[in-house]
Amino acid sequence: MCTGACSKFIAIPLYILALVSIICNIILFFPDFKTEYASEDKEGDARITQEVKYMGGVVGGGIMVLIPAIHIHLTSAKNCCSNRCGMFLSIGFAAVGVVGAIYSLSAAALGLANGPVCYWSNPDNPIPQWGTPFANSSGDYLNDKDVWGWCILPEKVVEFNVGLFSTLLVAASLQAILCTFQMVNGLFGCICGTCTGNE
């Protein structure tokens, strides 16, 4: 396959994945699809999961992948990039995308491991309070749905966080793979030359 056409094949999914990452991160600021938790959130009295504030989906999986996706797409104009310089630059841009994807993946993994901030209580802690009840579970709570009921507010916040952070995790993993593949593709295009419209 032409290295330019391959770049286009890589860029289009990166656009979609970047958009998904941004949307998921923004939605995570509104548990139970309500704005009150975001407006009540303040330092020392959290209402929003800490890992959401790292903006992994917006900055890492979003902006840091979207910019390389645009450049990678430009190298595929008319399915061919007529100069080696464009492919060489795409290696650097793709590397930025890999870093962004790793940042997004790390934030999502931490969010899954620590669990959500919620108003919770359990038999050992009968007085409800705001906090992160699963922070010391090393993610074990994910396999025990019985404890998800500890979170009283926001409603179904565990399912909400698990679904969106898992989506971010998958999106970031795919972004890292695609950007790494583009680094290899760019190297081939730079060393061996890119195809021409007649090839």
Side-chain angles (χ1 to χ4, degrees), residues 33-84:
F33 300 100
K34 294 180 180 175
T35 58
E36 63 189 76
Y37 301 108
S39 61
E40 292 171 0
D41 185 77
K42 49 186 175 259
E43 193 172 337
D45 192 19
R47 296 290 185 270
I48 303 294
T49 304
Q50 186 65 36
E51 291 76 17
V52 175
K53 301 171 193 174
Y54 295 166
M55 302 292 280
V58 173
V59 176
I63 296 168
M64 289 181 72
V65 170
L66 194 57
I67 293 171
I70 292 169
H71 178 79
I72 292 166
H73 194 194
L74 290 175
T75 64
S76 69
K78 295 182 182 178
N79 285 345
C80 294
C81 175
S82 60
N83 64 72
R84 294 171 193 249

Side-chain angles (χ1 to χ4, degrees), residues 42-172:
K42 49 186 175 259
E43 193 172 337
D45 192 19
R47 296 290 185 270
I48 303 294
T49 304
Q50 186 65 36
E51 291 76 17
V52 175
K53 301 171 193 174
Y54 295 166
M55 302 292 280
V58 173
V59 176
I63 296 168
M64 289 181 72
V65 170
L66 194 57
I67 293 171
I70 292 169
H71 178 79
I72 292 166
H73 194 194
L74 290 175
T75 64
S76 69
K78 295 182 182 178
N79 285 345
C80 294
C81 175
S82 60
N83 64 72
R84 294 171 193 249
C85 181
M87 294 306 282
F88 176 75
L89 288 174
S90 79
I91 297 171
F93 278 103
V96 171
V98 170
V99 172
I102 290 172
Y103 176 63
S104 180
L105 190 144
S106 300
L110 275 174
L112 281 173
N114 293 332
V117 169
C118 63
Y119 189 64
W120 69 284
S121 69
N122 66 18
D124 297 327
N125 185 57
I127 300 173
Q129 61 181 346
W130 282 97
T132 313
F134 312 117
N136 299 318
S137 72
S138 300
D140 291 340
Y141 78 96
L142 292 168
N143 298 318
D144 187 3
K145 291 188 178 182
D146 292 337
V147 302
W148 293 10
W150 292 358
C151 285
I152 303 165
L153 292 173
E155 290 184 23
K156 299 194 179 290
V157 70
V158 179
E159 293 91 331
F160 181 83
N161 270 32
V162 168
L164 289 170
F165 274 128
S166 295
T167 303
L168 278 172
L169 200 67
V170 171

